Amino acid sequence: MYLFGETMEIDYRQAMPREKRLLAPFVPEGVLPFGKLRSDHLVVTTGEVQYESDGKTRKQMPDGSDVVEWETPRIVPYQELSSKIGVPIFPGSTVLNYGQGIFEGAKAFQHDDGELRVFRLDVHAERLNRSADRLCIPRIPVDLQQQAIHALLDIDRLWFPQQAGASLYVRPVVIGIDDLVRVGESKRYAYYAFLSPSGPYFGSGVEEPISLFVSKKFHRAGPGGTGAVKSIGNYPGTFLPARLARERYGAQQVLYIDVTNTHIDEAGAMNHYHLTTADELVIPEFTETILASITARSLLELAAAGRLPVTARQTNVNLERFLDGVRQRRITAAGACGSAAVLAPVKEYILESGEHVQVADGKVDQRTRDILSVYRGIQHGTEESPEGWMQLIERRTA
Ligand code: PLP
């Protein structure tokens, strides 16, 4: 059992026997797909929200978070969730019926010294807790999250793909598991994380900029809703607009506008950015309908530290003024940013009227390449990292 602030143990009793695990570094044949493969293990724990003796009042920590007794995280072979690994998923579970679930997406990289490092896991863990707050899910102590994921990355370190541009994608998830048909929050939760040895998000890489369909009909999020957090319920509503963008407009993704159809919100499941002729990187201000991307935050921090060839700022980005800026070539590069792809440059915006607004010459701009090279250099260990960004995965089991 884990209570806030304790050093934690990891339960390895169900881990795969050594001889059944991957025994040599993973060398993929051909370019690896993003997110498809899994490593040997999964880390999982469950916890129950504690109530006062009246059975109604939640016990609270001094910081206002719920008191939860989390079991010692277990490293188990990657498999379906079931009571076999202590996570029974009943047909009436709050996650399956009401979408009470949240997730994160982080990345780990192997550096030239052969060691694995994970990028800004503490910031991801803190964001998971902001998502938790919004969905009445108890916070998972940041040190519990980090220790569980470090243990998983440690035991499955050989799964890091020996291929240029590869990463070990980390997917933490929290779900409500009470079997509860009344609409309401669960008392019991499962926290788990798994790894996906991955190649680049866009197979063709940065050389092939994408098209964005500008949707005024569909919206991803509304004020007061859950758009600013990583709630699982935010995503299925984007499937239809994405399908339409693909099938009717030939665009890879959707540019979402706020519900008043005035400001740019997000580009698919990524933030949006643009670059001006004044070498300024502009990212929409984080509002109630925009997820505060860790990539965007990191770019802003790097620019402020003078590490990028551009300055950077956040502001509300008016869609029509943005499109005029692109048409008049004051805006000479634009794209989407997020952990999966880092930067995905956009070659054109396709409007509902059928108009195509091309960004500059439609090719990848040099500043985009320069920014990417600093960012990827930090992640892959060829550029100096800001303090604390790359957490070393200590060798405990190997
Ligand atoms: N916006 C949404 C809706 C997302 O799901 C993500 C992915 O996490 C992002 C933006 C990019 O955020 P990050 O840079 O933290 O990956």
Side-chain angles (χ1 to χ4, degrees):
M1 187 183 85
Y2 177 88
L3 284 172
F4 190 75
E6 290 174 10
T7 13
M8 193 186 31
E9 305 231 320
I10 301 285
D11 182 350
Y12 290 100
R13 283 174 303 175
Q14 293 178 63
M16 276 184 172
R18 233 167 246 277
E19 65 280 7
K20 285 210 171 158
R21 297 181 209 159
L22 186 69
L23 295 171
F26 173 45
V27 185
E29 283 172 27
V31 179
L32 260 191
F34 184 87
K36 248 191 173 156
L37 298 191
R38 301 287 175 265
S39 69
D40 287 333
H41 294 96
L42 159 77
V43 65
V44 61
T45 176
T46 48
E48 182 159 350
V49 177
Q50 301 295 299
Y51 282 71
E52 301 290 355
S53 49
D54 64 5
K56 288 185 191 140
T57 318
R58 281 174 287 115
K59 285 191 184 166
Q60 296 205 319
M61 305 290 295
D63 69 355
S65 59
D66 295 333
V67 175
V68 179
E69 290 181 358
W70 291 103
E71 286 171 12
T72 303
R74 299 180 289 283
I75 297 273
V76 301
Y78 183 82
Q79 63 192 276
E80 59 209 62
L81 300 173
S82 73
S83 43
K84 215 169 125 191
I85 54 166
V87 189
I89 304 290
F90 289 100
S93 64
T94 61
V95 65
L96 291 184
N97 289 259
Y98 307 118
Q100 200 193 12
I102 52 176
F103 68 102
E104 266 303 319
K107 276 179 167 180
F109 302 88
Q110 191 177 46
H111 289 184
D112 285 344
D113 61 4
E115 299 302 322
L116 208 57
R117 288 172 178 83
V118 61
F119 184 76
R120 307 199 80 177
L121 187 61
D122 49 339
V123 185
H124 282 282
E126 282 155 13
R127 188 171 67 183
L128 188 78
N129 282 342
R130 284 200 297 283
S131 302
D133 286 347
R134 181 62 184 82
L135 267 78
C136 287
I137 290 173
R139 289 181 201 158
I140 295 94
V142 168
D143 57 343
L144 184 155
Q145 295 186 49
Q146 297 202 105
Q147 289 185 56
I149 290 170
H150 275 241
L152 179 66
L153 283 165
D154 174 38
I155 197 166
D156 281 354
R157 64 174 64 238
L158 287 174
W159 278 100
F160 183 85
Q162 303 300 309
Q163 182 172 86
S167 65
L168 257 182
Y169 184 80
V170 184
R171 169 54 59 86
V173 183
V174 193
I175 52 174
I177 58 174
D178 275 358
D179 190 347
L180 197 76
V181 165
R182 171 183 61 75
V183 177
E185 66 205 70
S186 185
K187 284 185 183 167
R188 291 199 316 126
Y189 294 87
Y191 167 83
Y192 60 87
F194 59 92
L195 305 177
S196 178
S198 290
Y201 190 68
F202 292 108
S204 41
V206 76
E207 293 310 325
E208 238 169 78
I210 59 172
S211 306
L212 288 182
F213 166 60
V214 183
S215 168
K216 287 190 171 173
K217 180 173 173 211
F218 294 103
H219 295 95
R220 196 190 76 91
T226 58
V229 301
K230 278 184 82 76
S231 160
I232 60 175
N234 291 344
Y235 295 84
T238 66
F239 297 167
L240 180 62
R243 183 191 278 184
L244 212 77
R246 245 184 354 258
E247 293 179 356
R248 194 174 298 167
Y249 295 91
Q252 281 85 351
Q253 262 305 343
V254 177
L255 183 72
Y256 289 103
I257 313 304
D258 75 317
V259 290
T260 68
N261 283 335
T262 313
H263 294 113
I264 292 180
D265 265 0
E266 298 209 61
M270 299 171 91
N271 278 181
H272 187 262
Y273 72 86
H274 68 258
L275 287 163
T276 66
T277 43
D279 289 343
E280 218 181 11
L281 171 69
V282 182
I283 290 169
E285 190 96 60
F286 299 145
T287 60
E288 289 182 11
T289 51
I290 297 181
L291 181 80
S293 148
I294 291 165
T295 313
R297 283 176 54 185
S298 303
L299 289 168
L300 291 161
E301 288 172 39
L302 287 172
R307 296 281 307 270
L308 299 183
V310 292
T311 57
R313 72 188 165 96
Q314 281 189 292
T315 183
N316 285 333
V317 180
N318 177 286
L319 173 69
E320 294 308 329
R321 282 208 289 277
F322 166 77
L323 290 172
D324 279 344
V326 175
R327 290 186 189 102
Q328 292 159 11
R329 303 278 165 102
R330 277 179 281 113
I331 291 169
T332 42
C337 65
S339 301
V342 183
L343 298 182
V346 170
K347 64 171 188 263
E348 61 176 357
Y349 292 80
I350 305 174
L351 312 187
E352 279 165 354
S353 64
E355 186 191 351
H356 287 224
V357 180
Q358 184 176 301
V359 182
D361 61 1
K363 302 216 166 71
V364 183
D365 155 279
Q366 187 55 43
R367 294 164 302 173
T368 308
R369 291 180 200 280
D370 294 343
I371 295 169
L372 258 174
S373 133
V374 173
Y375 203 91
R376 291 200 175 136
I378 290 169
Q379 293 188 319
H380 291 275
T382 54
E383 290 264 349
E384 194 190 332
S385 156
E387 181 76 29
W389 280 21
M390 303 305 304
Q391 301 181 354
L392 178 73
I393 306 301
E394 283 181 15
R395 290 178 181 271
R396 289 194 209 134
T397 56

